[in-house]
Amino acid sequence: MGRMERSCFTLDLGAIRRNAETLLRAAEGAELWAVVKAEGYGHGAVDVSKAALEAGATALCVATLPEALHLRAALRNARILVMGPVSERELGEARVARLELVAADGQVPEGVRVHLKIDTGMGRWGLSELPSPTRDVVGVMSHLASAESDPAFTQLQVARFREATAGLSSLTRHLANSAAVLRFAEARFDAVRCGIALYGISPFGTDPSHDGLEPALRWESYVALAKRLDPGESTGYGRRYVADRPTWIGVVPVGYADGFRRDMSGTDVLVDGVRRRVVGTISMDALAVVLDGPVESGTPVTLVGDGVLVEEHARVADTIAYEVAVGLNTRSGRARRVAVDG
């Protein structure tokens, strides 16, 4: 069997577009702003941005100035909002690149389009009350703390935002994240900022198909070695998995340096299309799966895709799918990343 790539990520641009269209339908007339920070949640910011814009998104949101400049180099005319703090030293670059910035600390920069951010309950970035908008202010925003889990507090934040922005109808008001777009019609206002759902990952940690979302990323590797363990023999550091009967294991050349976290031991992957359990300690560059018997070197392994969800891995790791996704090492010489139009 021919050897596959040790770590290969495939981004389905069609899935990104279809997710964007699903979110636009849910937004019911509000604009869709695609959140593509953290290299597009590990998926590839430029590719995701182009697909989202093709599907009807009207702006891109990132966290840092370098992220925005990276996008601007590829997308000369896109509307790009930097949601995190920008230093005085960076303001000149932001102006030249025609970026939009967020004012969350009382200082409203001049000569650049600005969105005022009010804290309605997130307890993080944001003003306690809105100042009078200057001529550079084009939007007003806030951020929801628990739209995926706490309806009552979400409704309180929506009410606070509506009250705080009353009389500012000339400005674009934006509050909703992915969870709120899908669950809270009253949170949609003029624009919605969607990240995790755009990638086909559920903001609720459930099966994304329940909300009409389609996972956009596949992660594949292969079995580099199949090995028989006798009773009492182990695999991996710390001997965390010891065979209690004759057991075949497959060694896959992917580990925590590639984003397959140590705390995901016990999750499932697919070996030649069949679910197999990951066992033992995840190494920096390898993991082990239990097999029914020997397999050939080069047998394909699907780490994400074909029904193996990021959400499942996150539950095993006792974390959220966001953290698993952005931790995938799609951005170094350790992996190949391709985009396809599916």
Side-chain angles (χ1 to χ4, degrees), residues 9 14 26 32 52 61 78 81 85 88 92 94 100 102 148 181 184 187 204 207 226 229 244 266 274 280 342:
F9 294 93
L32 172 65
C61 303
L81 171 63
E88 287 287 334
E100 301 184 23
V102 171
E148 76 291 345
V181 173
F184 297 94
F204 311 105
D207 188 324
L229 300 180
D244 59 3
V274 179

Side-chain angles (χ1 to χ4, degrees), residues 54-83:
E54 288 169 2
T58 50
L60 307 171
C61 303
V62 295
T64 70
L65 182 78
E67 289 178 331
L69 295 177
H70 173 63
L71 284 183
R72 177 57 77 219
L75 299 163
R76 298 301 304 166
N77 297 314
R79 185 178 184 185
I80 303 172
L81 171 63
V82 181
M83 298 186 295

Side-chain angles (χ1 to χ4, degrees), residues 21 68 77 86 89 103 161 164 166 185 203 237 244 286 294:
E21 291 163 359
N77 297 314
V86 172
R89 178 180 55 80
F161 185 71
Y237 290 114
D244 59 3

Side-chain angles (χ1 to χ4, degrees), residues 219-221 252 254 260 268-270 287 301-305 308 313:
W219 185 15
E220 297 168 290
S221 185
V252 182
V254 163
F260 204 97
D268 285 348
V269 298
L270 300 180
L287 59 85
V301 174
T302 303
L303 305 161
V304 174
V308 176
H313 295 329

Side-chain angles (χ1 to χ4, degrees), residues 59-279:
L60 307 171
C61 303
V62 295
T64 70
L65 182 78
E67 289 178 331
L69 295 177
H70 173 63
L71 284 183
R72 177 57 77 219
L75 299 163
R76 298 301 304 166
N77 297 314
R79 185 178 184 185
I80 303 172
L81 171 63
V82 181
M83 298 186 295
V86 172
S87 69
E88 287 287 334
R89 178 180 55 80
E90 295 173 319
L91 276 177
E93 290 180 279
R95 292 188 186 101
V96 170
R98 295 171 287 113
L99 304 176
E100 301 184 23
L101 305 181
V102 171
D105 61 0
Q107 301 297 314
V108 181
E110 297 180 352
V112 62
R113 287 158 65 98
V114 174
H115 299 249
L116 300 176
K117 185 168 189 177
I118 185 169
D119 182 4
T120 57
M122 184 68 173
R124 201 177 57 177
W125 314 114
L127 303 155
S128 57
E129 58 183 54
L130 289 174
S132 297
T134 65
R135 64 180 182 180
D136 294 315
V137 172
V138 297
V140 58
M141 63 187 290
S142 190
H143 192 55
L144 296 169
S146 51
E148 76 291 345
S149 60
D150 190 339
F153 191 72
T154 300
Q155 289 159 355
L156 176 62
Q157 284 195 265
V158 171
R160 288 172 174 171
F161 185 71
R162 180 178 292 107
E163 181 180 358
T165 59
L168 297 177
S169 58
S170 62
L171 303 179
T172 300
R173 297 179 297 168
H174 47 108
L175 170 68
N177 55 12
S178 291
V181 173
L182 295 168
R183 294 290 186 274
F184 297 94
E186 65 270 31
R188 291 163 191 157
F189 291 93
D190 303 313
V192 298
R193 306 186 306 269
C194 293
I196 198 72
L198 182 65
Y199 306 95
I201 300 172
S202 171
F204 311 105
T206 56
D207 188 324
S209 67
H210 296 166
D211 286 293
L213 302 172
E214 182 181 340
L217 195 69
R218 289 179 58 85
W219 185 15
E220 297 168 290
S221 185
Y222 64 93
V223 175
L225 174 70
K227 180 168 199 156
R228 183 180 185 272
L229 300 180
D230 289 326
E233 292 185 327
S234 62
T235 182
Y237 290 114
R239 305 192 74 231
R240 290 177 59 197
Y241 178 78
V242 179
D244 59 3
R245 60 179 64 88
T247 303
W248 281 90
I249 61 158
V251 180
V252 182
V254 163
Y256 60 78
D258 304 287
F260 204 97
R261 300 158 49 121
R262 281 169 55 91
D263 51 11
M264 289 185 344
S265 183
T267 194
D268 285 348
V269 298
L270 300 180
V271 179
D272 205 15
V274 179
R275 279 192 175 248
R276 301 296 185 192
R277 185 164 55 95
V278 176
V279 296

Side-chain angles (χ1 to χ4, degrees), residues 269-311:
V269 298
L270 300 180
V271 179
D272 205 15
V274 179
R275 279 192 175 248
R276 301 296 185 192
R277 185 164 55 95
V278 176
V279 296
T281 301
I282 311 297
S283 302
M284 187 179 292
D285 312 301
L287 59 85
V289 296
V290 174
L291 303 172
D292 280 349
V295 301
E296 292 184 48
S297 175
T299 297
V301 174
T302 303
L303 305 161
V304 174
D306 292 339
V308 176
L309 300 174
V310 170
E311 293 89 341

Side-chain angles (χ1 to χ4, degrees), residues 4-37:
M4 302 176 64
E5 300 281 345
R6 66 168 296 277
S7 182
C8 180
F9 294 93
T10 304
L11 172 66
D12 185 344
L13 299 174
I16 296 291
R17 285 196 294 270
R18 290 187 289 275
N19 291 334
E21 291 163 359
T22 295
L23 293 166
L24 271 167
R25 287 193 296 271
E28 294 184 333
E31 293 183 35
L32 172 65
W33 294 4
V35 181
V36 294
K37 60 185 179 178

